[in-house]
Amino acid sequence: MPEPKPQVVGAAPKGATDCDSAAQAVREMFSSIAPRYDLLNHVLSFNVDRLWWRRTARTFRHILSQPDARILDLCCGTGDMAFALQKEAGKSSARITGADFSHAMLQRAREKSAGCANGSVPEWIEADALNLPLPSACFDLVTSAFGFRNLADYDAGLREICRVLRPGGECGILDFGEPKGLMGTLYRVYFKQVLPRVGTMISGVRGPYAYLPASVLRFPSPEEMLTRMQAAGFREASFTPYTFGIAGLYRGKKSA
């Protein structure tokens, strides 16, 4: 009888030996590709990533339209999810904050803010998603787009999201998945063989794009993620696949 598969704690970049070294490796990887990060995202996803961000933002329109709603976009990178949320919020008084622990990524987000046509832009803070310098129960919505998978401790990340949410507040975690059938076969060939080569060629940095496929394979299945969300204090946990399951949105509400 095969041994049960050990439960994954979190991201494990090559060479990392514990949570601290894993977090440091992730920070260094993403800082190294920050200048070309947006270009690579759009090229490697054939621009479908824009649709995923917009669809996620529309999912939470009921919160974004509320007067004085407070939203946190965690592991915000260069800010694309935060900008999608801001656009969906429109003229409402929703306050959106983007947080990331990569200084280089946040610097790029701030540069993009300067190019916004209107004066309503997210606030940016440099912070570790596992130890946020924020009070408890202060946000109505916490999102994370393609960043949660890189946390050194998934359960600790879920607990921290739950901590900063108000009772009844919602979370939305958008991340990669593994499609099934023929699409899954084609996806795996692209993801494991083509994407790392193209990403390395454009960015000039090998590590991050060799790490990406491994991080997706390592990430818990939707069923396991929902179980972890429930254990962290979320009710009505659900998963909605996007684009044949290439990506998907995890949702949950903080228990009262």
Side-chain angles (χ1 to χ4, degrees), residues 17-36:
T17 57
D18 55 24
C19 286
D20 289 341
S21 60
Q24 181 62 27
V26 168
R27 181 189 285 113
E28 291 174 356
M29 276 195 294
F30 282 94
S31 294
S32 71
I33 60 172
R36 296 280 181 110

Side-chain angles (χ1 to χ4, degrees), residues 85-108:
L85 293 166
Q86 191 76 66
K87 184 174 181 180
E88 188 63 41
K91 295 181 179 179
S92 79
S93 53
R95 295 165 56 194
I96 297 168
T97 300
D100 202 288
F101 72 172
S102 168
H103 181 78
M105 286 287 195
L106 283 177
Q107 188 173 26
R108 176 70 184 127

